[in-house]
Amino acid sequence: MAANKLAYWAFAGAVLVNLVLLFNPGSPGDPAPIVPHRDKIVHFLSFAAIAWTGRRVGIGPTVLGLALAAHAVESELIQHFVLPHRSGDPWDAVADLAGTSCALLLAGRLPRRVAHHDPAVAGS
């Protein structure tokens, strides 16, 4: 039960971090990144974290993938049209989709945990 609770907290944390990263208004004149394509890496990892933890809490891959694909597009539109000092970038959405896809594929390849069935406990 504790592992299940931890999975839900991890999922909630991944969603919260994603929302802060995507919808923080930013500031004019952000310094040049030290790591090339840092923005794309952050997008990839953020969406991968949601996809991975979402699968751990039992959200189906199709529903999760479609929801994250829609979120990738809407977040870029909000950044472009609503948030000051931010601009939408279609390549960010591509990074979002790549992170989602990779995490869903990896999560699908891992064996599911099998509940331990103890006949002595089951009979009591």
Side-chain angles (χ1 to χ4, degrees), residues 1-2 7 9 13 31 36-37 48 63 65 84 100 106 108-109 112 122:
M1 181 67 174
W9 279 108
H37 309 294
V63 170
T100 298
L106 286 173
R109 297 183 71 101
R112 291 202 177 275

Side-chain angles (χ1 to χ4, degrees), residues 1-15 49 52-58 113:
M1 181 67 174
N4 195 22
K5 194 179 263 190
L6 180 61
Y8 280 101
W9 279 108
F11 177 66
V15 170
W52 179 266
T53 58
R55 290 296 294 134
R56 297 298 104 198
V57 299
R113 289 186 182 180

Side-chain angles (χ1 to χ4, degrees), residues 83-98:
L83 297 177
H85 310 297
R86 298 291 296 264
S87 61
D89 182 356
W91 290 109
D92 286 348
V94 170
D96 299 342
L97 296 174

Side-chain angles (χ1 to χ4, degrees), residues 38-54:
R38 174 187 66 179
D39 182 47
K40 306 303 179 263
I41 295 168
V42 169
H43 275 267
F44 180 95
L45 293 175
S46 176
F47 275 74
I50 294 174
W52 179 266
T53 58

Side-chain angles (χ1 to χ4, degrees), residues 31-36 38:
I34 295 171
V35 177
R38 174 187 66 179

